[in-house]
Amino acid sequence: MRTLTQRWILAIALIAAISAFGCSQKKDEAATPPVAQQPPAPAAPGSGTVEHDESGPTVTPAGTVPEIWAQVQGEQGKLSAAIQNGQLKDVHHLAFGIRDLVVALVDRAGAATPAVAPKLKGMVEQVKASATKLDELGDAGNLSGTQAEAAKLDGVLKTIKTVTGAQ
């Protein structure tokens, strides 16, 4: 009788150990989602700014300077349309897309013509600042400010087009 009781206790302990190990493994997997699935951290309360994750629609630059320039012009058209239609919530994605394309354009153009590289790098900084400003103005719902900043961005982009010789 004593051996039968010991066997039952041993069997129950073994089942409990297997169940505990299996459950804890599943629990650990469920408790730790992949990093890419974690939502972005919200902006600090009362900071007045909205942080955007840049995982929205991305623009992949084409291979040559003229091809990238065509993409920049396409994004400029979308940006102008969004501003004209009052879709200011879309402005940041478009402005950041233009910024990323201009960085790729300048990298390729600077490699081809090293003499203009320093001037182009300065213009890239202007495009980056303008994209950030467009983001802020769009989030604030400031249509006139957004229009004015978009006009400044257009001017910088025209200069980049001239310097790079993009058509």
Side-chain angles (χ1 to χ4, degrees):
M1 175 91 168
R2 184 175 164 173
T3 342
L4 185 60
T5 306
Q6 287 177 341
R7 286 184 184 172
W8 276 105
I9 291 174
L10 182 60
I12 291 172
L14 183 61
I15 291 172
I18 291 172
S19 296
F21 177 72
C23 290
S24 68
Q25 185 178 18
K26 289 178 186 176
K27 181 179 175 184
D28 289 344
E29 291 172 1
T32 311
V35 174
Q37 292 180 355
Q38 293 179 349
S47 68
T49 61
V50 177
E51 293 295 321
H52 297 285
D53 65 347
E54 295 195 31
S55 64
T58 58
V59 181
T60 304
T64 66
V65 169
E67 290 172 337
I68 297 172
W69 184 253
Q71 288 180 290
V72 169
Q73 289 179 313
E75 292 298 302
Q76 269 185 288
K78 291 177 189 177
L79 179 62
S80 292
I83 292 170
Q84 286 177 348
N85 295 329
Q87 297 171 328
L88 300 181
K89 63 180 176 68
D90 297 332
V91 167
H92 69 271
H93 288 298
L94 296 167
F96 291 151
I98 291 170
R99 174 202 63 196
D100 295 343
L101 287 169
V102 167
V103 168
L105 176 90
V106 167
D107 285 346
R108 289 198 178 80
T113 315
V116 298
K119 184 175 183 177
L120 288 172
K121 289 185 189 263
M123 287 186 263
V124 166
E125 293 307 314
Q126 290 176 343
V127 170
K128 288 179 179 180
S130 188
T132 301
K133 187 74 172 170
L134 282 167
D135 175 33
E136 293 168 2
L137 292 167
D139 288 343
N142 185 342
L143 181 60
S144 61
T146 303
Q147 290 169 332
E149 191 62 39
K152 288 179 188 177
L153 176 62
D154 288 345
V156 174
L157 291 175
K158 284 180 186 177
T159 305
I160 290 172
K161 180 181 180 182
T162 303
V163 172
T164 61
Q167 298 298 325

